[in-house]
Structures are given as structure tokens and as C-alpha cells.
Amino acid sequence: MDKYFLKFSHGIPKYVAISNHIKRLIDNNEIKDGEKLPPIRKLAEFLEVNNITIVHTYNVLKDEGYAVQKIGSGTYAKRKDSFKSFRREYSNTIKKVSSGDFKKYIDFTGESPCSDFFPVNSFKDVLNEVLDRDGVDALSYQEALGYAGLRKSISKVFWNDEVDIDDILIISGAQQGIDIISKALINTNDSVLVEMPTYSGALSVFKWRRANICEIPVGFQGININKFEKILRKNNIKCFYTMSYFQNPTGISYSRQKKEQILRLADIYDFYIIEDDYLSELIYDKNIEYATFKSLDRNDRVIYIKSFSKIFLPGIRIGYLIPPKKFKESIQNSKVNTDISTSSLMQRALDLYITKGLWKEYIDKLNKIYSKKYLFMKEVLTKYLYDKVSFIVPGGGLHFYVKINDRFNINSIQLFRRAKNKNVLIMPGTIFYKESVNGLKYFKLGFSQIDKKNIENGIKIIGNLIENYRVCK
Amino acid sequence: MDKYFLKFSHGIPKYVAISNHIKRLIDNNEIKDGEKLPPIRKLAEFLEVNNITIVHTYNVLKDEGYAVQKIGSGTYAKRKDSFKSFRREYSNTIKKVSSGDFKKYIDFTGESPCSDFFPVNSFKDVLNEVLDRDGVDALSYQEALGYAGLRKSISKVFWNDEVDIDDILIISGAQQGIDIISKALINTNDSVLVEMPTYSGALSVFKWRRANICEIPVGFQGININKFEKILRKNNIKCFYTMSYFQNPTGISYSRQKKEQILRLADIYDFYIIEDDYLSELIYDKNIEYATFKSLDRNDRVIYIKSFSKIFLPGIRIGYLIPPKKFKESIQNSKVNTDISTSSLMQRALDLYITKGLWKEYIDKLNKIYSKKYLFMKEVLTKYLYDKVSFIVPGGGLHFYVKINDRFNINSIQLFRRAKNKNVLIMPGTIFYKESVNGLKYFKLGFSQIDKKNIENGIKIIGNLIENYRVCK
């Protein structure tokens, strides 16, 4: 009962104060999901308020999805919904950001390069060249696998001509890749292994596909191969979804040795690796070698997904997929069933953009810009948060994943809300876990959309907020 | 046993002749799926051939998926796979068509307007105007619901400003619309009612979603409302998927009265109508009134899907969706999980294209061109096929659906193959039915991609082919 105790402040109605307090207890798992809340009379007595105040309180909790009433039995806490409703709160925030409502915010939720650096005029020239060259074909022509020219460029520029162009399928970004692979390969109750934490968009797809989701923790050293094999032994895993470079959100990259171990296990335990190579263009640390699972794959175990939207331009919606021969037809059919094909003009424009060498030029430019920003970010994180958080040094990419140290009594959902009040946006860890509760101590900071000055200001603000919750010792 | 009888011709190996004959019997359902084929010795005796010839024959049938061997029990016919393998054969043909391999063919498989009439230069101007106006935003900016400008134009131009722009969701074509609706609304074993026959792309989605698919026959008078209600009474139908104008493939349009009856039933039996309004721009018959289910919907029962790809340009991949308020959020999330968002530049270009009145201009032009072609098509169908087929007069759209009269012993798969040998491509009815066998007497003729001369030649060739299979009386 003690945990229900709180002091009332002047000016806040008591039922509001009590319900906020209980919500916090539920969010922090101090009241467990499904735990019975005290009977109205008992709690009223304990807090020295009227019964009607508690009736009010419980009504608020029910309305906000924090509690359910079971007739004749009492009121019960509901945690799952609170995370669900937080997801909604978070995604509404992101929607507002993307529609330009939060222009004055310091936004650490950005996940792709800032479009300010994009040479829009050269892309325009390329578009016009395509339309002059191909006429109406550029807008109407549809090939099942995608524009052959683009597939040829991809094989040449990114795979040294070693991938057959008929093994490449053009898709509308990585999210679609995950979706069509799931439809082609994963049936209800099939087991999918994901990194914990992982990209929430992938989790959603697997959940919607009603897969049985198993998780392998990604720690500061990456995943543990022995644990990995233990999971394989116990579960009939069909696919392992992984981001091999700058894993989202942890920032971890797999060593070549670990990749080879996992490929070997894929053979032994007969599963497939869905490799989401979303940001490997941005390796700043020269010690990180670029070798994808796909490039090391000898037994056709890897379904490789590459998004151009992520590194290039979010609005362009193009990526590609290289499936094992075995799944080629089913994945291709899955694409047709999903949206027939990807915008033809955009494919042709991207092709010409790559062929002309403009792609490489742009990526080189991004590398220069972001490696500097990355170092600055590391510096200010160390400067302002050194005693408050711990973090992995990713060596590339566009974000840091940060753990709030135990001596601070604030979770990432609370921090998100407090920071938002101060015009700073962060990504709470909870959205990267199947069971959100596991992400309560983590948050992600994407630095691509912010200039140095605001990075420093933002991190300072976050530092101050966390400091307020230091547990006295 | 009699049905196995055949006469051998000189020059064709006996095992080839026998296996072709058996394949025909299976295709025509004269040998049922799962029916035991005669023991080798017995069939050899009956046809007066060596045992080894029948061994050969059965091996061919097994290789081609027309038979399975059960060890110690014998050889069994397999019909399902024959349709499956025909679907593959058909879809490979279509892929070759779309990649330009069949340029010399008279192609009745076309489903969208011929791109030759598209004013590519004005579209190019529009693209440039967008890029000059919006700069990099045109390529990077993403709004969850799609570009607000386009949503505004849609509401204004197509809905008389009566639809709230926040109720419109931009999608990458109708196929994606069906896919994301299915993910948001339909769970495993939920019942979906479809027209029989219907669009194969929708059938695929519902099958992949593992829905329980119920069918309501579409006859020459459309669907029968009493039958419809009978199905509703017996099954807990969640959605009814319908094409309200020029239903694909039958060409039937729903009368206003029938639409109102169905909307009433939707209220009574608590189901939702997925209206795929894919070609209503092309109404040639002035007696056909334009009033969608959505426009008649008073109780938020309709999920409206409109594709711009179909009527406009297949390569542009844009459409929109208007969901009932109840499903707004879940369908929007489903879109995000499927491919985040639709190409931003294309949305802006389409918006400007509509705003400038170019859309209307283009549709008017198409109407003029295709109403003439439609009348010509009707004329030659009547002239060359009058005693061989019967068909519905759709009054609009880009195709006719044709039934082979009973006195001709050829099915649409056979006709497809024979016609292909004569450089003519048709769409066999089998691909439009959950149980392909139901489509064996039908085929679809799209006339949008062919000029008058070739329409006439093509229909003549089809007429001659069917004539060869006249049953003597």
C-alpha cells in the first residue's frame, strides 16, 4: 500500500494528482500489469480523501486505458495499453514533426540524412534527361523485377557485377522489403528471431503477420553466439532479421567473424537471414570492415534488403532486394500482390543518377559532413552526460543509443515527455522492444537533422532533465 | 475407361499423344482431381501399346504436375496444380509482354489506356514546375497521409469538397489499397465476400491473408440480392470487395438501387464494403449514372479505393483511399507498415496536373478515343463471334467478358494457348475465380492497347480457332 502514498500540492485537483501518481507507478512497473488496485474506500482512507475522489481517479485511469473494471471484482491496472497509448502519443508526435508542426524543436528523432545537402538541381537535370530519352515509357513501362537499367547499375556499382540482374528485385524502400518477405516466407506461428532491441517497423510487420517473435539481446558487445545457438536449438527459427551495420537502435555492427558464425548456424539450423543493410554507406571508423552477410553467404541463406530512401532521400521510396534462388518467385509474387511495381520514373532517374557518378559524389559528401557531426555528438554526450548515461560508440551511422544510469529515477517515456515540454524530441527505447517495458532505461538520439549549436543545447537540456531525478545516496 | 481412348497420328510419339490427351481430360475436369489413373498394364492393353509407353506417359504427367504417384497405390490425377502451373504460364506470358518480348502480338490482355495518347511533355513541364517550386521538399518531405496539396485537389475536384482532406490517404495504387485494408481489417479465417469472378490481384491478397473467401456469382444481370442476403445470413461476413463500375472481368455495373440495397444490408449484417472504383471515368453509355457506393454511404460503411495508375499511367503508382472513421487509424498504420509513404514527387506532380485542369483534359480525350473503339469492338465481336460466344455489353471501360457457347468443345486455357500460337493474347477466365475450373468457359478481351485493324484481325483469328472445336450435331 505504501507505494500509493503521495503528497498533494496546492492548485492541482487531488484526483488528478492521484491518477498521475498511479499512472507513473504503472508505467514504471511498480504496479504490475493486471495487479488489482486498492478498493475505493481503502485507498480513500489511506490518502485521507473522500471516496468520491478515488471514484474520480479510477474513472480517469479507465478512460485513459490505464485500468479496467471487472464487475463485482474491482479495478485492475493495465500496463500494456499504456505502452500502446504511448506508442500512439509518440507516433502522433512524429507525424506532427513530419508535417512541419514542430519546426522550432530540437529534433533528435531524425533517422535519415538532412535533405539540405541534396543537390536537387542535378537530380532535376537527371529527371529531364530520362523523360527526354524515354518519353512516355518512363511513366508507363512496368517490369516485374523493376527497371532493367537500374538493376544493371546496382549489380555493377554495388556488387562488382557479381549479382545476376535477374536476382535483383526493385522495391519501394526497406519497409516494403520486410513486408513482402514476411508475406512470402512467414506463416502464422512461424518463429522469427529478431535482435532485442530492433527496428519497430520490422516488429510491426512480424506482429501483423502473427509470427512467433523470439529475441536475442544486443548488448554492448553485440549478440552472444552461444545464446543465439541456444535459441536456435529450442525454437524452430525460420528467419533471423538483422541490421548488420549500426544496428537500429543500438548502433552495433557485426564483426566478420560473427557474421560467418551466424551463416554457419543458418546452415546447421536451417534458417534464413534477412539482412537489412540500411546505412552501411556511413562508416566513419576505419577499423570497421564492409562485408555484408550477403557477400559472405555461400549457401544462399541471405535475403538482402537495401533501401535507397534511408541514405538518399526519404521521399524517393526506392530500394532493392536480393533473395535466395529458392524464394525468388514467391517474393516476386509477393511484391506484385503488394503494389504491382515501384514508380517507373523514379527508378530510371536513380539509375541515371548512379551511372553518372552523382550517387558516389553525394555519399562522399555525406560522409564528410556526418563524420564530423558524429565526433561532435560523441564529444558533447561525454561532456554533458558522462555521469548520467552510458552508450555504445557506433563508429558510423546517424545516431547514438543511450542508457540512463541506474542512479537516476526517470524512464525514457517520462524523459520524452519532459524533453518535449522543453522543445527537445528524443526516441524512447520502449518503441524498439517487443515488450516495451524493456526499453524504459534507453533512448535514441539521431543527430542528422540538427546543427552543432542545437546538438549542444539539446544534450544540455536532456542532461539537466535527467539530473533532476538523481537518487540521493 | 472409354474416355482414355484416342487415335494415334503419324509422327507424334505415342507417349506424347497419350499424355496430351490425359492432360486435356484433366483440364476439362473429365478426369477429376485426385482420380486414380488406370494401372499401367491395363491402360497399355486398352490402347494397344507397350507397358513402357504408359510408364513414359505417367512420368511426363508427373513431371508437369498433372499427376502424383503414391507408392504402392498407383498414379493419381492432379488438377489443382495444373491450374497453378497454368497461372505461372500465364503470368510468365504477361511478364514477357510487359518487357516488350511480344511486340508483334495482338494483345487483348491490356488493362489500362494505351500510353501513346499521354501528353508526356505537359507532364514533364509539371514535374519541373514542382521541383522549381518546392525544391528538395518535393523529394524528401513525407506526410503520413500523403501530400496535403494532392488531398485537397482530390477533395475539390472529385468530391466537391465534401470529403475532409484528413479522411483521404494517398496510396501507391489500388493493389496496395486492397493489401493495406486487408492487413488492417481482416484476420485469419475472417470471411470476405467477393464477386465471382473477380480481380485476381484481390483474390491473391485475401488468400495470402488466409481469409475465408465466400463468393457471390455475378451473372448477366449482376449479383442477385436474395442470394447475397442468404450468404450474409449463413456467414459472418466482415467485408465485401466490389468493383462498382465495369466490374473486372464481367463488365457489369451496379445500379443505384442495388447499391442502396447492399448498403442497407451492410448495416443489418454489420459488414464493410471495399469499393474499388477503378475505371468509372470511362462511362460511354449515357444511361449509366455515376454514383459510387461511397457517395451513397450514410453510415460509414464504405472503404473507397481509387487508383490513378489504372486510368492515368501504370508507372505512376498513385491512388487514394477513403476509410470509415472507425478504421482510419488502423489503415493509416497499415500503410506505414507496408511502405512508409508514396513517392513524394509523383504526388506533387499529380496534384499540379489536376489543378491545372490537365487531368480533365486527358480523361476527356480518352473518353472520345475509347468510346469509339468500344463500339467498334462490339461490332466485330458481333460480326465474327455471334454464334460462338455470348457477352455482356458493359457500356464503358476497356474490355469485354465473353462466354464460349456450349456447342464448342474448347476451354479458355486451350484457347489461350492456341491463340498464342497465332500471335494473339487473351485472358482466360480461370484466373478470375477462386476455383479456376469455374472460368473455363470464359475469357476477357481488353481492347485498349490495339488499333482497329488488329482488333478485327485478332477477333477473326479467335473466331476461327473456336470454330475448329464445333461439336457436330
Side-chain angles (χ1 to χ4, degrees):
Chain A
M1 199 72 185
D2 279 0
K3 63 188 173 194
Y4 287 94
F5 180 75
L6 75 158
K7 278 188 186 158
F8 296 107
S9 340
H10 198 69
I12 299 170
K14 284 184 179 163
Y15 78 93
V16 174
I18 306 170
S19 59
N20 281 344
H21 178 65
I22 294 180
K23 280 193 259 176
R24 225 169 0 243
L25 292 173
I26 296 173
D27 281 345
N28 289 340
N29 213 17
E30 289 172 54
I31 298 177
K32 301 262 175 289
D33 183 35
E35 185 176 324
K36 195 176 172 176
L37 299 179
I40 290 169
R41 222 175 289 181
K42 220 171 142 189
L43 186 57
E45 229 165 75
F46 177 73
L47 293 174
E48 300 177 350
V49 298
N50 289 329
N51 285 353
I52 194 73
T53 304
I54 303 301
V55 171
H56 262 327
T57 302
Y58 283 6
N59 282 340
V60 167
L61 292 175
K62 276 180 277 175
D63 287 349
E64 297 187 9
Y66 273 89
V68 279
Q69 182 155 32
K70 292 182 188 169
I71 306 295
S73 159
T75 307
Y76 293 80
K78 208 173 166 206
R79 213 208 40 236
K80 227 177 156 182
D81 258 16
S82 102
F83 283 118
K84 239 190 199 164
S85 76
F86 175 72
R87 267 172 202 266
R88 197 167 298 148
E89 178 186 335
Y90 180 74
S91 94
N92 285 336
T93 304
I94 296 301
K95 276 175 202 163
K96 279 187 187 159
V97 171
S98 73
S99 67
D101 276 12
F102 285 168
K103 283 210 167 136
K104 284 177 198 155
Y105 281 60
I106 300 177
D107 179 12
F108 287 104
T109 69
E111 303 211 82
S112 38
C114 180
S115 54
D116 294 354
F117 308 117
F118 186 74
V120 64
N121 282 324
S122 45
F123 194 75
K124 190 179 142 195
D125 291 345
V126 161
L127 270 175
N128 280 301
E129 200 175 325
V130 165
L131 284 166
D132 290 338
R133 184 190 67 189
D134 301 342
V136 75
D137 275 0
L139 295 159
S140 62
Y141 210 61
Q142 287 180 295
E143 286 168 272
L145 292 171
Y147 179 54
L150 178 58
R151 287 183 283 127
K152 220 174 281 175
S153 302
I154 287 169
S155 178
K156 192 175 160 191
V157 175
F158 303 115
W159 294 94
N160 210 6
D161 272 333
E162 279 159 19
V163 171
D164 187 334
I165 70 159
D166 286 337
D167 288 341
I168 295 171
L169 174 67
I170 305 296
I171 51 177
S172 311
Q175 183 70 34
Q176 180 174 78
I178 300 166
D179 184 48
I180 64 173
I181 290 168
S182 298
K183 282 188 205 151
L185 265 70
I186 300 167
N187 293 320
T188 308
N189 293 326
D190 276 351
S191 292
V192 178
L193 181 59
V194 300
E195 294 151 333
M196 176 175 93
T198 190
Y199 168 49
S200 59
L203 272 182
S204 298
V205 171
F206 299 139
K207 276 183 193 164
W208 281 36
R209 198 67 202 157
R210 288 167 206 286
N212 170 30
I213 300 174
C214 305
E215 295 175 301
I216 170 85
V218 182
F220 278 33
Q221 305 302 322
I223 67 166
N224 177 306
I225 286 288
N226 293 332
K227 262 194 201 161
F228 192 91
E229 190 165 3
K230 217 177 256 173
I231 293 172
L232 295 173
R233 232 178 282 135
K234 277 196 191 155
N235 301 274
N236 187 10
I237 298 293
K238 196 155 187 180
C239 304
F240 169 49
Y241 170 74
T242 178
M243 287 162 282
S244 37
Y245 286 89
F246 319 123
Q247 199 263 352
N248 185 6
T250 62
I252 284 281
S253 300
Y254 285 72
S255 66
R256 175 192 274 258
Q257 191 203 3
K258 215 167 247 180
K259 279 179 215 147
E260 280 169 346
Q261 285 172 324
I262 291 171
L263 282 163
R264 215 171 303 130
L265 290 174
D267 260 346
I268 298 170
Y269 292 93
D270 191 22
F271 66 90
Y272 291 85
I273 298 162
I274 305 173
E275 177 175 33
D276 187 351
D277 183 16
Y278 81 113
L279 215 55
S280 58
E281 290 83 358
L282 299 182
I283 300 178
Y284 317 132
D285 179 343
K286 300 229 161 68
N287 295 316
I288 299 180
E289 175 201 21
Y290 180 60
T292 56
F293 277 102
K294 188 75 194 175
S295 68
L296 302 172
D297 180 19
R298 299 284 158 267
N299 298 308
D300 230 8
R301 284 283 166 193
V302 178
I303 309 162
Y304 177 85
I305 305 174
K306 177 82 218 166
S307 164
F308 291 117
S309 306
K310 204 82 195 172
I311 182 76
F312 195 51
L313 281 172
I316 194 174
R317 308 308 318 145
I318 298 189
Y320 68 93
L321 194 151
I322 309 176
K325 298 239 183 296
K326 193 177 166 184
F327 300 123
K328 211 173 125 172
E329 194 179 324
S330 58
I331 289 177
Q332 199 182 322
N333 288 340
S334 177
K335 163 71 180 166
V336 172
N337 280 329
T338 300
D339 72 346
I340 316 280
S341 66
T342 294
S343 167
S344 163
L345 177 62
M346 286 312 211
Q347 292 188 55
R348 284 164 199 251
L350 181 60
D351 169 40
L352 197 56
Y353 197 84
I354 293 172
T355 322
K356 282 174 174 284
L358 294 166
W359 167 271
K360 202 182 163 304
E361 214 171 86
Y362 180 55
I363 298 297
D364 288 349
K365 186 168 140 193
L366 290 183
N367 255 294
K368 265 183 213 142
I369 294 166
Y370 286 115
S371 59
K372 276 185 210 150
K373 239 188 209 183
Y374 163 83
L375 290 173
F376 182 74
M377 182 79 183
K378 206 169 84 178
E379 194 186 309
V380 294
L381 275 177
T382 313
K383 186 165 168 195
Y384 297 106
L385 300 183
Y386 70 99
D387 66 335
K388 297 178 184 65
V389 305
S390 42
F391 59 89
I392 293 165
V393 176
L398 298 170
H399 72 269
F400 284 80
Y401 196 56
V402 158
K403 186 181 183 207
I404 304 168
N405 288 344
D406 284 342
R407 82 185 73 97
F408 297 89
N409 187 24
I410 183 170
N411 70 43
S412 59
I413 292 181
Q414 293 162 335
L415 183 63
F416 167 81
R417 289 182 180 140
R418 308 273 181 287
K420 194 176 151 190
N421 285 338
K422 303 258 179 214
N423 291 2
V424 175
L425 296 174
I426 62 163
M427 302 180 83
T430 54
I431 59 170
F432 299 104
Y433 294 79
K434 194 178 94 180
E435 297 293 339
S436 298
V437 65
N438 293 319
L440 279 171
K441 277 291 164 192
Y442 297 86
F443 60 98
K444 178 178 152 181
L445 297 169
F447 55 82
S448 62
Q449 307 288 335
I450 325 173
D451 61 24
K452 282 190 176 184
K453 203 184 113 206
N454 275 319
I455 286 180
E456 185 156 10
N457 286 340
I459 299 296
K460 257 197 245 176
I461 290 168
I462 292 167
N464 290 335
L465 285 172
I466 298 177
E467 183 59 40
N468 289 336
Y469 291 83
R470 189 186 286 272
V471 178
C472 303
K473 291 222 168 171
Chain B
M1 197 73 183
D2 280 0
K3 64 189 171 192
Y4 286 94
F5 181 75
L6 77 158
K7 278 189 186 162
F8 297 107
S9 339
H10 199 68
I12 300 170
K14 284 182 178 167
Y15 78 94
V16 174
I18 305 170
S19 60
N20 280 344
H21 178 65
I22 294 179
K23 280 192 260 177
R24 220 162 12 235
L25 292 172
I26 296 172
D27 282 345
N28 288 341
N29 213 17
E30 290 172 53
I31 297 175
K32 302 262 175 291
D33 183 35
E35 186 176 323
K36 193 176 173 180
L37 299 180
I40 289 170
R41 223 175 289 183
K42 220 172 142 188
L43 185 57
E45 227 166 76
F46 177 72
L47 293 174
E48 300 178 349
V49 298
N50 289 328
N51 286 352
I52 193 74
T53 304
I54 305 301
V55 171
H56 261 328
T57 304
Y58 282 7
N59 281 340
V60 167
L61 293 175
K62 277 180 277 176
D63 286 351
E64 297 187 9
Y66 273 89
V68 279
Q69 183 155 31
K70 293 183 188 167
I71 305 297
S73 160
T75 307
Y76 292 79
K78 207 173 165 206
R79 211 205 42 234
K80 228 177 156 182
D81 257 17
S82 102
F83 282 119
K84 239 191 199 165
S85 76
F86 175 71
R87 268 172 202 266
R88 196 167 300 148
E89 177 187 333
Y90 180 76
S91 94
N92 285 337
T93 303
I94 296 302
K95 276 175 203 164
K96 281 188 186 160
V97 172
S98 73
S99 66
D101 275 11
F102 286 166
K103 282 207 169 139
K104 285 178 195 153
Y105 281 61
I106 300 176
D107 179 12
F108 287 103
T109 69
E111 302 210 84
S112 37
C114 180
S115 53
D116 294 354
F117 309 116
F118 186 73
V120 63
N121 282 324
S122 46
F123 194 75
K124 190 179 141 194
D125 291 345
V126 161
L127 270 175
N128 280 302
E129 200 175 324
V130 166
L131 283 166
D132 291 339
R133 184 191 67 191
D134 301 342
V136 76
D137 275 0
L139 295 159
S140 61
Y141 210 62
Q142 287 180 296
E143 285 167 274
L145 293 171
Y147 178 54
L150 178 58
R151 288 182 284 128
K152 220 174 283 174
S153 300
I154 288 169
S155 178
K156 191 175 162 194
V157 176
F158 305 115
W159 295 94
N160 211 5
D161 272 332
E162 278 159 20
V163 172
D164 187 335
I165 70 158
D166 286 337
D167 289 341
I168 296 172
L169 173 67
I170 305 297
I171 51 178
S172 311
Q175 183 70 34
Q176 180 173 80
I178 300 166
D179 184 48
I180 65 174
I181 290 168
S182 298
K183 282 188 205 150
L185 265 70
I186 301 168
N187 293 320
T188 308
N189 293 327
D190 276 351
S191 291
V192 178
L193 182 58
V194 300
E195 295 151 333
M196 175 176 90
T198 189
Y199 168 49
S200 58
L203 272 182
S204 298
V205 171
F206 299 139
K207 277 183 193 166
W208 282 37
R209 198 68 201 155
R210 287 168 207 285
N212 170 30
I213 301 174
C214 304
E215 296 175 298
I216 170 85
V218 182
F220 278 34
Q221 306 301 321
I223 67 166
N224 177 306
I225 285 287
N226 293 332
K227 263 193 199 160
F228 192 91
E229 190 165 2
K230 217 177 257 174
I231 293 172
L232 295 173
R233 232 178 284 137
K234 279 195 189 155
N235 302 274
N236 188 7
I237 299 292
K238 197 153 186 182
C239 304
F240 169 48
Y241 170 74
T242 178
M243 288 161 281
S244 37
Y245 286 90
F246 318 122
Q247 198 262 352
N248 185 7
T250 62
I252 284 281
S253 300
Y254 286 73
S255 66
R256 174 192 275 258
Q257 191 202 2
K258 214 165 250 180
K259 278 179 217 147
E260 279 169 347
Q261 286 171 324
I262 291 171
L263 282 163
R264 214 170 306 130
L265 290 174
D267 262 347
I268 298 170
Y269 293 94
D270 191 22
F271 66 91
Y272 291 86
I273 298 162
I274 305 173
E275 177 175 35
D276 187 352
D277 183 16
Y278 81 113
L279 215 55
S280 58
E281 290 84 358
L282 299 181
I283 300 178
Y284 317 132
D285 180 343
K286 300 230 162 66
N287 295 316
I288 300 180
E289 174 200 21
Y290 181 59
T292 55
F293 277 102
K294 188 74 194 176
S295 68
L296 302 171
D297 180 18
R298 299 284 158 266
N299 298 308
D300 230 9
R301 284 283 166 192
V302 179
I303 309 161
Y304 177 85
I305 306 174
K306 177 82 215 167
S307 164
F308 291 118
S309 306
K310 204 82 194 171
I311 182 76
F312 197 49
L313 281 172
I316 196 174
R317 309 305 321 146
I318 298 189
Y320 68 94
L321 193 151
I322 309 175
K325 298 239 183 295
K326 192 177 165 185
F327 300 123
K328 210 173 126 172
E329 193 180 324
S330 57
I331 288 177
Q332 200 181 322
N333 288 339
S334 177
K335 163 73 180 165
V336 172
N337 280 329
T338 300
D339 71 347
I340 315 279
S341 67
T342 293
S343 166
S344 163
L345 177 62
M346 286 312 209
Q347 292 188 56
R348 285 162 198 252
L350 181 61
D351 169 41
L352 197 56
Y353 197 85
I354 294 172
T355 323
K356 282 175 173 282
L358 294 166
W359 167 270
K360 202 182 165 304
E361 214 172 86
Y362 180 57
I363 299 297
D364 288 349
K365 186 168 140 192
L366 289 183
N367 255 294
K368 266 183 211 144
I369 294 167
Y370 287 115
S371 59
K372 276 185 209 151
K373 240 190 209 183
Y374 162 83
L375 290 173
F376 181 74
M377 181 79 182
K378 206 169 86 177
E379 196 186 307
V380 294
L381 275 177
T382 313
K383 187 168 168 193
Y384 297 106
L385 300 183
Y386 70 100
D387 66 334
K388 298 179 184 64
V389 305
S390 43
F391 59 89
I392 293 165
V393 176
L398 298 169
H399 73 269
F400 283 80
Y401 196 57
V402 158
K403 185 181 181 210
I404 304 168
N405 287 343
D406 285 341
R407 81 184 73 98
F408 296 88
N409 187 24
I410 183 170
N411 70 43
S412 60
I413 291 181
Q414 292 162 335
L415 184 62
F416 168 81
R417 289 181 180 142
R418 307 273 180 287
K420 194 176 151 190
N421 284 337
K422 303 258 178 212
N423 291 2
V424 175
L425 296 174
I426 62 163
M427 301 181 83
T430 54
I431 59 171
F432 299 104
Y433 295 79
K434 193 178 94 179
E435 298 291 340
S436 298
V437 65
N438 292 321
L440 279 172
K441 277 292 164 189
Y442 297 85
F443 61 98
K444 179 178 152 182
L445 297 168
F447 55 81
S448 63
Q449 307 288 336
I450 325 174
D451 60 25
K452 281 191 178 183
K453 205 184 112 204
N454 276 319
I455 287 181
E456 185 157 8
N457 286 339
I459 299 296
K460 256 197 243 174
I461 290 168
I462 292 168
N464 290 335
L465 285 172
I466 298 177
E467 183 60 39
N468 289 335
Y469 291 82
R470 188 186 285 272
V471 177
C472 303
K473 290 220 168 174

